[in-house]
Amino acid sequence: RKEVEQDPGPFNVPEGATVAFNCTYSNSASQSFFWYRQDCRKEPKLLMSVYSSGNEDGRFTAQLNRASQYISLLIRDSKLSDSATYLCVVDSSASKIIFGSGTRLSIRP
Amino acid sequence: DARVTQTPRHKVTEMGQEVTMRCQPILGHNTVFWYRQTMMQGLELLAYFRNRAPLDDSGMPKDRFSAEMPDATLATLKIQPSEPRDSAVYFCASGLRQGANTGELFFGEGSRLTVL
């Protein structure tokens, strides 16, 4: 079993829709959680950190559920520019930062 | 802007040849990571360093891969001998870890390796 698992998608949704991704992790001792975004043939870049109390950044909301060991990302009012691969990232232990395989999102006009 | 620099950007080589990829992390960062990305496997963690000390390289095929940080400005990933299954994009990333605070990882643009 992979340490970090995501639904690979693709998610194909119309512009303006709300879309949500989940990610599960196996190491209950994991301390820090993030969502990164990767555009086609580019390097990953930090989208947002995920805090225990949940956090919001504009149209993006991240949630952490430690009991069930999953994190989520919600995108509201999706834009064409949101089309990308979203990577769930977990600081598993001792600085070991593990990336999920990513969820592909495609926004159609 | 400070950035992680990787060389070469592209490399085509024949099976059996040695490949060395280099990474210059952002000045002041104390963690360096090597990842490999393929369509099938996503981003796999190969090795990582903290304050130049290797912490974990269990993700690497030990018989052919090696990762080092000869100084704070250079990290290397070497494959010898290379095989076609090593074809992938290799990313280096650096970050500043302070205590339990992981911090953001900054990635280089990657080295695209093709082994024929």
Side-chain angles (χ1 to χ4, degrees):
Chain A
R1 182 189 172 191
K2 289 187 174 182
E3 288 194 59
V4 179
E5 298 214 53
Q6 295 182 248
D7 181 345
F11 285 64
N12 189 322
V13 302
E15 198 173 5
T18 295
V19 61
F21 312 133
N22 282 338
C23 161
T24 59
Y25 61 95
S26 60
N27 186 346
S28 59
S30 299
Q31 294 294 318
S32 303
F33 309 88
F34 309 88
W35 284 100
Y36 277 66
R37 170 189 168 135
Q38 186 174 24
D39 293 301
C40 188
R41 300 181 79 83
K42 298 286 190 180
E43 70 275 20
K45 293 183 179 178
L46 179 67
L47 177 66
M48 60 195 302
S49 302
V50 185
Y51 303 121
S52 298
S53 55
N55 50 297
E56 190 174 304
D57 183 0
R59 298 181 293 108
F60 298 82
T61 301
Q63 298 277 356
L64 167 64
N65 185 319
R66 285 191 183 272
S68 301
Q69 294 182 205
Y70 78 82
I71 68 175
S72 63
L73 178 68
L74 181 79
I75 305 175
R76 290 183 301 279
D77 188 23
S78 53
K79 312 291 185 191
L80 295 175
S81 58
D82 294 334
S83 297
T85 297
Y86 290 83
L87 301 163
C88 172
V89 183
V90 175
D91 185 346
S92 182
S93 65
S95 305
K96 187 174 183 180
I97 300 179
I98 304 294
F99 281 70
S101 297
T103 298
R104 282 174 46 209
L105 174 64
S106 178
I107 307 298
R108 62 180 188 268
Chain B
D1 283 343
R3 59 177 63 186
V4 175
T5 303
Q6 288 187 245
T7 57
R9 292 291 313 281
H10 302 273
K11 175 75 174 180
V12 180
T13 191
E14 293 188 345
M15 183 173 62
Q17 296 298 304
E18 178 178 305
V19 176
T20 298
M21 287 168 276
R22 294 178 173 81
C23 168
Q24 181 176 359
I26 292 174
L27 188 66
H29 281 185
N30 59 3
T31 58
V32 174
F33 296 77
W34 282 105
Y35 292 91
R36 173 171 66 182
Q37 188 171 39
T38 62
M39 289 292 291
M40 298 302 294
Q41 297 294 328
L43 267 167
E44 299 174 86
L45 177 61
L46 297 176
Y48 62 104
F49 299 79
R50 186 170 181 180
N51 297 322
R52 292 180 54 205
L55 292 188
D56 189 334
D57 60 2
S58 58
M60 295 197 309
K62 292 292 188 304
D63 54 340
R64 299 184 301 108
F65 284 59
S66 61
E68 296 179 346
M69 275 202 78
D71 62 62
T73 65
L74 177 65
T76 62
L77 180 67
K78 187 176 296 185
I79 308 174
Q80 166 68 324
S82 57
E83 297 182 1
R85 59 179 167 155
D86 300 331
S87 298
V89 180
Y90 290 81
F91 285 105
C92 175
S94 72
L96 179 61
R97 188 176 187 96
Q98 297 174 303
N101 185 349
T102 301
E104 179 178 355
L105 282 189
F106 294 82
F107 280 77
E109 293 180 295
S111 294
R112 183 174 296 273
L113 173 66
T114 302
V115 183
L116 302 175

